[in-house]
Structure formats: C-alpha cells, structure tokens
C-alpha cells in the first residue's frame, strides 16, 4: 500500500506562487500515472494536471495552462505542482493521486477522475485572496 501526503498549501495573494508537494511512501518510480486534482467549495472536483510517466507527457486543465507545472522527483519519491500567477478562483483543496497500472498511452491518465486512481492523498488547502 502506498501512502500519499500533500504539503505546501497555504494562503497567498493573487499573483503569488505556491509549490505543492506530494510525498509517496515509496515506489514513485513505478507509478505509471500521477495527477493533481482540486475541489472548490460548492464546485465539482476537477483534474488540474497529470503526468504519464511512460512517455513523460503531461496534461493540464485549460484554466491553469501556462501557470502550473507538474513534475516528479523519483529520488525523493515526490510529485510537485508549481503554481504561479495564482488567482482567487484557484482557491480549493488540492489532492494528489498515483497509479501503478501499466497503460500504453497517457489517455487514461489525462481523463481519469480522482476516484479512479489507486492511491490518493488527503488534500491540502490553497487559498488565494484578491
């Protein structure tokens, strides 16, 4: 069983930056898909960014393209989400997720919901004030 623990959330003013970390208890190098999701109050959960390690390809929600970057450090067993130019609408609880299962393409990674992933973190709060 892999445990994921997010950190790095907090409060920031609009235009600021935060870097979220997702520490895995192990085996991050074996993960095939990893992703970040968020849920704002009163809104549905949405995928923010995902990475398909088979090809090193990434995908982003349109609202964060050019501002957020997903990356991984296998040596540190950590997944990151660098968030720049933050906006009040980025306020949400952010969750990380990871999945071992092998796939030939990244299509599953980029379309999966949080509940579809094998492993999920507990979330970290990000609040952006105007």
């Amino acid at each position: 069983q892999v445990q994921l623990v997010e950190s790095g959330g907090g409060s920031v003013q609009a235009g600021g930056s935060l870097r979220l970390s997702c520490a895995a208890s192990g085996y991050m190098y074996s993960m095939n898909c990893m992703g970040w999701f968020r849920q704002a109050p009163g809104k549905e959960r949405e995928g923010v960014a995902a990475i398909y390690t088979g090809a090193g390809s990434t995908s982003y929600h349109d609202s964060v393209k050019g501002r957020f970057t997903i990356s991984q450090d296998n040596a540190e067993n950590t997944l990151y989400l660098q968030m720049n130019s933050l906006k009040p609408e980025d306020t949400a609880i952010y969750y990380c997720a990871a999945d071992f299962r092998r796939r030939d393409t990244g299509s599953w990674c980029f379309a999966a919901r949080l509940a579809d992933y094998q492993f999920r973190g507990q979330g970290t709060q990000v609040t952006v004030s105007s």
Side-chain angles (χ1 to χ4, degrees):
Q1 184 72 11
V2 174
Q3 291 186 329
L4 303 177
V5 179
E6 300 97 336
S7 61
S11 297
V12 65
Q13 289 192 325
S17 298
L18 286 173
R19 188 177 77 159
L20 304 184
S21 299
C22 173
S25 57
Y27 307 107
M28 179 157 282
Y29 64 90
S30 298
M31 297 299 179
N32 192 241
C33 294
M34 293 180 284
W36 287 95
F37 295 79
R38 67 185 181 187
Q39 187 163 20
K43 295 187 177 181
E44 290 189 356
R45 188 178 298 149
E46 62 183 8
V48 176
I51 184 167
Y52 169 56
T53 62
S57 54
T58 57
S59 179
Y60 297 90
H61 191 280
D62 284 346
S63 66
V64 306
K65 284 181 180 177
R67 300 188 297 122
F68 290 10
T69 302
I70 186 172
S71 63
Q72 63 181 111
D73 185 332
N74 289 339
E76 297 293 329
N77 284 325
T78 303
L79 178 71
Y80 297 103
L81 184 68
Q82 178 67 44
M83 305 186 296
N84 299 327
S85 302
L86 283 162
K87 304 175 181 179
E89 51 263 43
D90 294 318
T91 295
I93 299 174
Y94 284 71
Y95 303 88
C96 67
D99 199 284
F100 275 128
R101 292 168 289 191
R102 292 290 146 188
R103 294 173 176 84
D104 293 332
T105 70
S107 58
W108 184 92
C109 304
F110 305 144
R113 301 165 302 167
L114 181 62
D116 296 327
Y117 275 77
Q118 287 179 301
F119 309 108
R120 300 172 293 277
Q122 294 299 308
T124 185
Q125 176 71 47
V126 171
T127 303
V128 184
S129 58
S130 57

